[in-house]
């Protein structure tokens, strides 16, 4: 499945300086199979009995979603904002020490799309830098919310 891939044509480089950057130099966290296993066991156990087939499916999905999230990170790793989005996403979707890689992947995809929408709006002169900065001040690093904020 390729749920987190997006098409991008041409190259446009617009620098977005993060407001109040929340990360220092960040490497993408390693896949934690034990944490994924804990989430999948909790989700697919009923009255102490584990549904083995659904557990395996869940584990495969978590690994796939992790790889897709890592691909998004690698696509933008030279840009400062992606480190902040990764840090935000992992903090948001890690509970009791276990990271939900499906939700991290979804969050990264959502924020990537928000970033691309804002970038395009600036490129097309349909967004002013003042409005973008105002929204970034409130919502950074959630580019999906910055995008929404700029269209209100």
């Amino acid at each position: 499945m390729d749920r987190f891939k997006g098409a991008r044509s041409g190259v446009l480089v617009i620098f977005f300086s993060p407001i109040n950057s929340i990360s220092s130099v960040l490497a993408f966290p390693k896949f934690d199979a034990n944490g994924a296993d804990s989430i999948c066991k909790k989700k697919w156990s009923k009255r102490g009995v584990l549904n083995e087939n659904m557990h395996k499916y869940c584990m495969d999905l978590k690994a796939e979603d992790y790889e897709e999230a890592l691909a998004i990170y690698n696509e933008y790793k030279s840009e400062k904002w992606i480190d902040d989005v990764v840090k935000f996403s992992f903090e948001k979707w890690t509970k009791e020490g276990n990271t939900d890689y499906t939700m991290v992947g979804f969050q990264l995809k959502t924020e990537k799309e928000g970033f691309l929408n804002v970038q395009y709006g600036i490129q097309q002169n349909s967004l002013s830098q003042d409005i973008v900065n105002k929204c970034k001040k409130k919502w950074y690093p959630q580019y999906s919310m910055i995008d929404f904020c700029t269209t209100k």
Side-chain angles (χ1 to χ4, degrees):
M1 277 186 239
D2 197 8
R3 294 174 294 144
F4 298 118
K5 288 221 181 203
R8 194 167 66 146
S9 62
V11 175
L12 169 69
V13 177
I14 295 177
F15 178 71
F16 287 104
S17 62
I19 295 175
N20 299 327
S21 178
I22 60 175
S23 72
S24 57
V25 176
L26 174 77
F28 199 83
K30 302 273 187 232
F31 181 78
D32 176 15
N34 291 331
D37 183 60
S38 179
I39 290 171
C40 292
K41 280 183 176 172
K42 185 175 182 177
K43 183 171 183 168
W44 294 108
S45 292
K46 186 173 183 179
R47 293 185 298 275
V49 177
L50 179 64
N51 181 327
E52 295 286 342
N53 289 334
M54 291 308 296
H55 176 265
K56 180 182 179 338
Y57 172 77
C58 180
M59 288 296 291
D60 290 345
L61 188 62
K62 298 297 182 207
E64 180 181 303
D65 292 339
Y66 173 86
E67 290 300 323
E68 291 175 353
L70 179 59
I72 292 170
Y73 172 76
N74 284 331
E75 182 178 2
Y76 292 95
K77 69 182 175 184
S78 65
E79 299 191 38
K80 180 70 177 146
W81 65 269
I82 196 66
D83 288 338
D84 294 333
V85 169
V86 166
K87 184 177 189 314
F88 172 82
S89 299
F90 273 85
E91 286 175 357
K92 182 175 182 178
W93 297 111
T94 301
K95 307 284 189 257
E96 300 174 1
N98 301 318
T99 301
D100 187 335
Y101 297 110
T102 299
M103 295 310 299
V104 167
F106 177 78
Q107 188 84 49
L108 264 73
K109 165 72 171 140
T110 301
E111 303 316 333
K112 170 189 164 181
E113 290 300 315
F115 172 80
L116 293 174
N117 289 344
V118 171
Q119 184 181 46
Y120 182 79
I122 291 172
Q123 176 193 20
Q124 298 299 311
N125 293 319
S126 61
L127 290 178
S128 77
Q129 193 64 54
D130 288 342
I131 291 172
V132 171
N133 287 341
K134 178 183 166 201
C135 293
K136 281 175 73 174
K137 187 174 182 179
K138 182 174 182 178
W139 292 108
Y140 186 83
Q142 298 175 77
Y143 274 92
S144 58
M145 292 304 297
I146 295 167
D147 180 31
F148 178 75
C149 175
T150 62
T151 59
K152 291 197 287 184

